[in-house]
């Protein structure tokens, strides 16, 4: 498909260059609070200001934009192999002082355990209610990410990515309740989990830390590590 | 926010340029068949091949990517003021022979009436089941658009944008059924329309063309022309 004639005439054919970046909204739970990650910016503009982990697209290095986002997560937060989904594109003449720009925004949900190294090397967590002081249009990007994640949490397995490798059903329910911002009836939650069928019990493993009898430990099924289990009926719609 | 120092040093700071384009999946109904629009490409690569309406982002001209998509729709299909939503970004080294590229894809739903001028000047309609022979990754872009539109049709007002300015409820129901690919119970459809509340009867206007008694004519409420009415319960989930 490569043709030298396109390459030669590229300079004439293409309009002014566009600044192409990726930004990642990294979400986690810290002591029951829903948080997003920030990293102090190393360069101007906004040098030193806490911003979403992001960076330029590197055409020579990245296969595609997912690879760009994975590289940013690896370089700036030291994590890889996590659930990562495209959010939306933010664009225009006004959002970046360097010029007309495109930021392709991604979001990822990560258990706090996976962030220990990142937190030790400068990554900051902030509660989602606080969007003050963010550079560029990062507050808007976080807002759109929260809306998407909350919406998807009503009908999918998405919140499980905030859980550690093993968890009990009450722990999973608490994660859903934090994201949805309201209590869920235990019986309908169990029914919904059976329908979505993305977790499996770990034979013979129980959590004995609670005050009640030991609770069965579960894990995410391997096939749902990189894609969601979906239902067409919401969590709180009587299903 | 503009700072001359960024502009001066831009050439050093920015990585290799990325080819930035927009592509629009324009969907319509022709005699009850769900179709998408194609336009013969004027230039290489794939000159003369029928492709999605699209083009380069023009930083000097477009305020943002929505403006780019609106310009493409205006220039290539002669339409404006339609419902237009961002779909996803398609990217990478392999999808365009001109180099590492980003295509920000959009979708729009348009009544056939609005396309008469476009159809007279070279725009082609093709049924959505036929994705053969499309250039670049346009077949994948159409596939993702169809999945999104069908999914959103189960819980929103989206399909109404395929209707002409005035329509009866049976006509609206037929549009939903075509998109969902299955019949909908009339009583639950009426209940869903009442819940979504995005249409209003036009006082004193009836459609007398059918074999039955004249049917009330409806129109889309003004406030839902550019945003959707949503429900958290799907069209076919017993709601």
């Amino acid at each position: 498909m490569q043709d030298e004639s396109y390459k030669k005439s590229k300079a004439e054919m293409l309009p002014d260059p566009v600044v192409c970046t990726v930004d990642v909204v990294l979400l986690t739970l810290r002591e029951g609070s829903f948080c997003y990650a920030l990293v102090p910016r190393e360069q101007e503009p906004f040098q030193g200001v806490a911003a979403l982990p992001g960076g330029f697209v590197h055409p020579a290095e990245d296969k595609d934009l997912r690879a760009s986002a994975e590289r940013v997560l690896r370089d700036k937060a030291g994590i890889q192999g996590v659930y990562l989904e495209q959010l939306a594109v933010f664009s225009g003449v006004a959002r970046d002082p360097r010029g007309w720009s495109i930021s392709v925004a991604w979001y990822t949900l990560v258990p706090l355990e996976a962030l220990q190294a990142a937190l030790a090397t400068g990554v900051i967590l902030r509660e989602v209610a606080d969007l003050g002081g963010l550079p560029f249009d990062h507050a808007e990007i976080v807002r759109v990410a929260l809306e998407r994640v909350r919406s998807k949490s009503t009908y999918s397995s998405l919140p499980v990515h905030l859980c550690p490798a093993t968890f009990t059903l009450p722990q999973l329910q608490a994660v859903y309740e934090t994201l949805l911002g309201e209590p869920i009836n235990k019986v309908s939650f169990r029914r919904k989990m059976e329908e979505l069928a993305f977790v499996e019990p770990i034979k013979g493993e129980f959590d004995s830390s609670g005050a009640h009898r030991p609770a069965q430990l579960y894990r995410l099924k391997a096939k749902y590590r990189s894609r969601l289990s979906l239902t067409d009926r919401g969590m709180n719609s009587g299903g």
Side-chain angles (χ1 to χ4, degrees), chain A:
Chain A
M1 298 277 282
Q2 291 287 344
D3 180 327
E4 283 306 314
S5 67
Y6 303 135
K7 288 189 183 166
K8 273 183 220 148
S9 59
K10 227 198 265 185
E12 303 139 51
M13 289 171 59
L14 299 184
D16 295 339
V18 169
V19 177
C20 289
T21 61
V22 291
D23 287 302
V24 183
V25 181
L26 191 163
L27 297 161
T28 193
L29 285 179
R30 182 182 56 191
E31 293 165 19
S33 286
F34 198 22
C35 295
Y36 63 101
L38 296 173
V39 181
R41 282 183 57 80
E42 287 174 12
Q43 293 175 325
E44 294 291 350
F46 305 111
Q47 189 169 25
V49 175
L52 294 177
F56 290 123
V57 174
H58 291 175
E61 191 180 345
D62 308 332
K63 181 173 69 97
D64 53 21
L65 286 166
R66 174 176 290 275
S68 307
E70 287 172 345
R71 175 176 50 75
V72 161
L73 271 178
R74 201 171 56 236
D75 291 355
K76 303 220 166 170
I79 57 172
Q80 49 191 324
V82 292
Y83 183 83
L84 180 68
E85 202 169 321
Q86 207 185 87
L87 178 64
V89 189
F90 298 81
S91 65
V93 67
R95 58 175 300 281
D96 189 320
R98 291 166 293 192
W100 213 104
S101 71
I102 288 176
S103 169
V104 180
W106 298 74
Y107 65 94
T108 181
L109 282 70
V110 177
L112 190 64
E113 289 77 352
L115 289 175
Q116 294 311 320
L119 294 173
T121 55
V123 171
I124 302 154
L125 295 183
R126 193 188 280 182
E127 293 194 17
V128 296
D130 177 8
L131 298 179
L134 297 184
F136 308 103
D137 49 2
H138 286 190
E140 174 65 9
I141 295 176
V142 177
R143 249 191 299 272
V144 173
L146 292 173
E147 195 183 308
R148 181 77 56 86
V149 167
R150 285 176 173 142
S151 165
K152 284 212 168 189
S153 296
T154 64
Y155 62 87
S156 83
S157 57
L158 183 59
V160 76
H161 297 287
L162 293 172
C163 292
T166 67
F167 47 85
T168 66
L169 286 185
Q171 284 164 352
L172 181 59
Q173 180 170 344
V175 168
Y176 269 91
E177 288 174 334
T178 300
L179 265 60
L180 299 180
E182 57 186 12
I184 304 170
N185 173 277
K186 182 178 163 181
V187 173
S188 66
F189 180 76
R190 299 266 166 141
R191 204 173 339 136
K192 189 63 67 179
M193 290 305 108
E194 272 171 36
E195 186 199 332
L196 286 167
F198 60 89
V199 297
E200 59 192 3
I202 311 170
K203 205 178 168 186
E205 291 199 26
F206 295 86
D207 173 24
S208 310
S209 63
H212 304 283
R213 65 191 170 92
Q216 174 70 52
L217 281 169
Y218 288 78
R219 69 184 162 211
L220 179 62
K221 288 181 186 171
K223 70 171 175 172
Y224 292 118
R225 274 182 212 147
S226 56
R227 66 183 179 90
L228 299 179
S229 171
L230 300 165
T231 165
D232 61 353
R233 291 186 79 165
M235 197 64 62
N236 275 324
S237 65

